[in-house]
Amino acid sequence: MIVVVNNNASKEQFDNLVSWIEAQNVKLHFSKGETHTVIGLVGDTTKIDTELLEGLDIVSQVTRVSDPFKNANRKFHPDDTTVTVGNTKVGCGNFALIAGPCSVESEEQIVEIAKAVKAAGATMLRGGAFKPRTSPYDFQGLRDEGLKLLLTAKKEVGLPIVTEIMNADHIPLFEDVDVIQVGARNMQNFELLKELGKTNKPILLKRGLANTLKEFLMSAEYVMSEGNENVILCERGIRTFETYTRNTLDISAVPMLKELSHLPVVVDPSHASGVSRLVKPLSLSAAAVGADGLMIEVHNNPQYARCDGPQSLTPAQFEDTAKAVKKVLEAIK
Ligand code: PEP
Ligand code: MN
């Protein structure tokens, strides 16, 4: 349920209303706009008398929200959310360009790529240390060592780092990581999501391989319901009957998610296509439909990459893509 309160209400009137709502055993979420404040009520609101609330002078509207996601809902928070990551921001006009290898392989590799993507305009460095691989015989990532190498690269180039977590027990290892990524395979690992919700780290939540947007937003809700509102949604393609591409980029997910939610939405064209030559056109389409950023795999030597080489751009291809994306962003301003 949302209760829209006029901002000309006195402090006493507002506080009285808040105390009354709190006594109804629901959690409150506030979003202050220029003329109104939206109070979102999360919990069992069935016994709350909407007519009673509507009768108050300071209340301009009361609406029951039937969507199961509340904190992530745009009705609760009409303005776009901006997630701050170090000295950069995502959302509300701030476009994130997250780039780096699928997995961290060595200090030389990650530092070289970090320098190249930064020079080409990346705002964050990605790199997997803990890798969710389909086969247990494939490279599983450098794990703790990979995290250390990412921190070395961060120190060298000054870009915030984004890396994937697979196990809630690892949270302490991610202390110095700027954005914790939850991969597609863990989108519905609810225990992990709840633990991440108890941290104050920005979370990059990737859409599951076969999940609906409602399920995706419910996963964001798991993080937010524990108090962490710093969630960035990432559309990374879904599984369809198509076989020429690794997944199918659900481009309509971007405007739909932005209609349903106030959270920033970024697109990963690398995992969506699995084909490096499709990364640029998909990046342009994502920018054109209003995405708040891109996450692109870049490798200094794609043919020798230990993971996802066929979908990785070279630094030069990334630079070319970044320039073209900038033009699209200017065109749609
Ligand atoms: C990744 O970003 O490296 C990754 C494993 O992506 P996804 O979870 O989308 O497959
Ligand atoms: Mn990958």
Side-chain angles (χ1 to χ4, degrees), residues 217-234:
L217 290 168
M218 288 312 290
S219 290
E221 193 72 18
Y222 261 96
V223 177
M224 299 176 86
S225 65
E226 296 291 335
N228 186 353
E229 307 221 318
N230 300 309
V231 179
I232 303 164
L233 302 170
C234 179

Side-chain angles (χ1 to χ4, degrees), residues 102 126 131-132 164 181 183-185 206 236 268 271 297:
C102 180
R126 66 148 284 150
K131 292 303 306 173
E164 179 167 355
Q181 174 176 326
R185 289 151 194 85
K206 298 189 92 174
R236 46 77 75 205
D268 170 351
H271 292 89
E297 285 189 340

Side-chain angles (χ1 to χ4, degrees), residues 34-54:
E34 245 168 57
T35 56
H36 293 89
T37 296
V38 176
I39 308 180
L41 280 57
V42 187
D44 182 5
T45 58
T46 48
K47 294 195 183 68
I48 297 181
D49 184 348
T50 51
E51 282 175 14
L52 192 100
L53 285 167
E54 270 162 352

Side-chain angles (χ1 to χ4, degrees), residues 3 188 233:
V3 179
Q188 288 192 311
L233 302 170

Side-chain angles (χ1 to χ4, degrees), residues 101-103 126-128 130-133 164 166 181-187 204 206-209 234-237 246-247 268 270-272 295 297 307-308 311:
C102 180
S103 57
R126 66 148 284 150
F130 293 90
K131 292 303 306 173
R133 303 304 301 275
E164 179 167 355
M166 295 203 290
Q181 174 176 326
V182 176
R185 289 151 194 85
N186 274 308
M187 188 203 88
L204 184 113
K206 298 189 92 174
R207 181 180 181 182
L209 275 71
C234 179
E235 162 58 39
R236 46 77 75 205
R246 182 176 177 181
N247 291 290
D268 170 351
S270 309
H271 292 89
M295 180 168 199
E297 285 189 340
C307 182
D308 287 350
Q311 68 194 34

